[in-house]
Amino acid sequence: MTILTTIKQLKRDTLQRVYFLYGVETFLINEFVDKVHQLLFTEEDESMNDIRFQLMDTPIQEIVEEAATIPFFSTHKLVVVNDFHLVSSQKVKAKVEHDVQALEEYLASPADSTVLLIIAPYEKIDERKKLTKRLKKEVTTVESNPLNEEQVKQWIANSLNENGFHIDQRASQLLFSRVGSNLMLLEKELEKCMLYTADRKHIVEQDVKELVAETVEESIFSVVESVALGKTERALLVYHKLLRQKEEPLAILALLTRQFRNLLYVKIRQEKGYGQKEIASQLKLHPYVVQLALQQTKRYSKPYLRRALIACADTDYAIKTGRDVKERAVELLLISLSM
């Protein structure tokens, strides 16, 4: 079960007494901890019964003792153990000594009133260790490593649904392409979108276009598309916008070259009958990048793409040998390719 599904299904009456969470997607781990906290406490009883520890600073036997102690004027207690390095293959110089047997004894009979969260923020844990095996066998284990594209879109939908909002598929795709899988940044962008659409509770593609900044890669995609359609003025407007954003002309040229190369390679494989997934696998590109390229390839002939790559290489050579000023050289390249 994924951490997204686990968070969604958390209910107070089905909470387990011990959870073992590991992985580097700490945003989701924190979301999990917050959800458990909300399920357990009211404002009156939370301060004395939500206890957080760093394993580097506190012996595990003291943490176990706290977990076994009855709550203070409450029916529940939350105990969180952060940086649980005892299951990691990394060598850690601990400040204290840990009695692992004390934890093993607690796992055999955990307190009914306590929810113990053991958090190991590592991409991989040492499966050979006895403690790791026991935790994965005896307690609810939740992996929290970076999400793939579909999982990010699911997280976006879940986050919006909890607030009574909905998002179109095209809007979700554009949001992902502009922000990526950084959940912290996505959360901030979603807050903006929800404020902007508070009257209708529905986020569409145009909302994302207006509110979420376009990436450099998207701008390059727009430049290439404008050049192919002969829209020189549009291509130059986007190029000058990138310059105002302090983007380096040589970096812009490198991205242009990569985009033309991807288009050529995708077109060649498309003509051979390969599908999107096969092309993405062969070229080691993100499937969404290939999807966009496939939508564009009909606008280009293979001779044009080869000519564009040669022109990019000539421009790079002219800049690096001092034959032309870099800003002007890239501008002339765009003009020549638009003709």
Side-chain angles (χ1 to χ4, degrees):
M1 187 180 295
T2 67
I3 188 168
L4 291 177
T5 305
T6 307
I7 292 172
K8 192 174 182 180
Q9 294 180 356
L10 283 174
K11 300 286 187 293
R12 177 165 179 161
D13 56 353
T14 59
L15 280 176
Q16 303 299 301
R17 288 180 287 179
V18 183
Y19 289 92
F20 172 47
L21 300 97
Y22 73 93
V24 294
E25 187 52 84
T26 54
F27 183 94
L28 287 177
I29 291 177
N30 292 335
E31 190 173 300
F32 185 99
V33 175
D34 290 343
K35 181 73 177 287
V36 173
H37 174 96
Q38 292 166 13
L39 291 171
L40 289 179
F41 303 118
T42 62
E43 291 184 5
E44 289 76 21
D45 61 358
E46 63 179 1
S47 60
M48 299 294 292
N49 295 293
D50 183 337
I51 301 107
R52 313 286 174 102
F53 294 101
Q54 296 291 333
L55 193 65
M56 289 288 293
D57 304 321
T58 311
I60 190 64
Q61 55 272 25
E62 291 185 17
I63 298 172
V64 166
E65 185 178 349
E66 180 62 55
T69 306
I70 62 172
F72 186 77
F73 291 112
S74 178
T75 56
H76 290 90
K77 174 187 285 189
L78 174 62
V79 176
V80 181
V81 190
N82 290 302
D83 296 326
F84 196 77
H85 57 80
L86 297 178
V87 295
S88 170
S89 57
Q90 300 177 15
K91 292 184 179 181
V92 178
K93 292 183 179 180
K95 302 176 184 178
V96 294
E97 292 187 7
H98 299 288
D99 181 3
V100 177
Q101 186 177 349
L103 175 60
E104 292 177 342
E105 291 174 357
Y106 180 83
L107 295 177
S109 183
D112 290 331
S113 57
T114 298
V115 175
L116 173 63
L117 305 183
I118 300 171
I119 300 171
Y122 311 105
E123 184 175 5
K124 293 182 180 180
I125 52 178
D126 193 337
E127 304 280 356
R128 300 167 298 178
K129 289 187 175 182
K130 177 184 173 184
L131 182 57
T132 306
K133 293 177 181 177
R134 184 157 186 184
L135 282 168
K136 295 193 74 171
K137 181 180 179 180
E138 297 184 15
V139 309
T140 302
T141 301
V142 183
E143 182 180 351
S144 181
N145 278 316
L147 306 181
N148 60 34
E149 181 178 345
E150 290 307 312
Q151 289 172 326
V152 170
K153 290 177 183 174
Q154 181 190 341
W155 179 86
I156 290 171
N158 291 347
S159 299
L160 291 172
N161 288 338
E162 287 180 2
N163 290 281
F165 283 76
H166 299 281
I167 186 168
D168 284 356
Q169 184 177 351
R170 289 172 66 89
S172 180
Q173 182 63 65
L174 181 59
L175 185 61
F176 175 79
S177 66
R178 290 194 173 182
V179 183
S181 57
N182 187 316
L183 300 184
M184 189 173 296
L185 292 179
L186 276 170
E187 183 182 48
K188 293 178 181 177
E189 297 299 341
L190 286 178
E191 288 175 0
K192 285 197 297 186
C193 291
M194 285 189 286
L195 283 171
Y196 187 71
T197 61
D199 57 333
R200 50 189 156 93
K201 307 281 186 180
H202 193 161
I203 300 168
V204 298
E205 185 179 21
Q206 187 59 35
D207 300 323
V208 178
K209 284 182 179 178
E210 292 179 9
L211 297 171
V212 182
E214 191 177 62
T215 63
V216 176
E217 286 78 7
E218 270 193 293
S219 295
I220 295 298
F221 189 89
S222 178
V223 168
V224 170
E225 185 174 50
S226 298
V227 163
L229 296 173
K231 297 181 178 180
T232 311
E233 185 178 351
R234 168 63 182 163
L236 293 177
L237 280 173
V238 179
Y239 171 60
H240 288 135
K241 183 189 75 172
L242 290 170
L243 292 180
R244 288 195 299 273
Q245 292 172 352
K246 305 300 182 184
E247 296 295 337
E248 171 61 39
L250 275 171
I252 295 173
L253 177 60
L255 289 171
L256 283 169
T257 304
R258 186 179 69 179
Q259 180 65 10
F260 281 121
R261 185 187 302 115
N262 286 344
L263 285 167
L264 177 59
Y265 289 169
V266 167
K267 188 173 185 68
I268 291 171
R269 283 161 176 77
Q270 183 186 29
E271 291 180 351
K272 290 181 178 179
Y274 291 108
Q276 179 182 329
K277 289 184 179 179
E278 292 172 305
I279 296 173
S281 175
Q282 289 178 14
L283 299 180
K284 294 181 171 53
L285 295 173
H286 193 284
Y288 182 60
V289 173
V290 175
Q291 178 187 328
L292 294 178
L294 286 170
Q295 292 170 4
Q296 272 198 322
T297 49
K298 60 184 176 215
R299 299 192 181 116
Y300 309 93
S301 66
K302 285 188 289 186
Y304 172 84
L305 292 171
R306 291 193 179 102
R307 180 168 71 85
L309 283 171
I310 293 170
C312 287
D314 289 344
T315 302
D316 183 72
Y317 181 78
I319 292 171
K320 290 178 178 176
T321 56
R323 286 168 45 198
D324 208 342
V325 179
K326 54 188 178 182
E327 290 85 354
R328 178 173 171 273
V330 176
E331 185 173 286
L332 291 174
L333 168 70
L334 297 178
I335 294 172
S336 68
L337 291 175
S338 298
M339 294 178 177

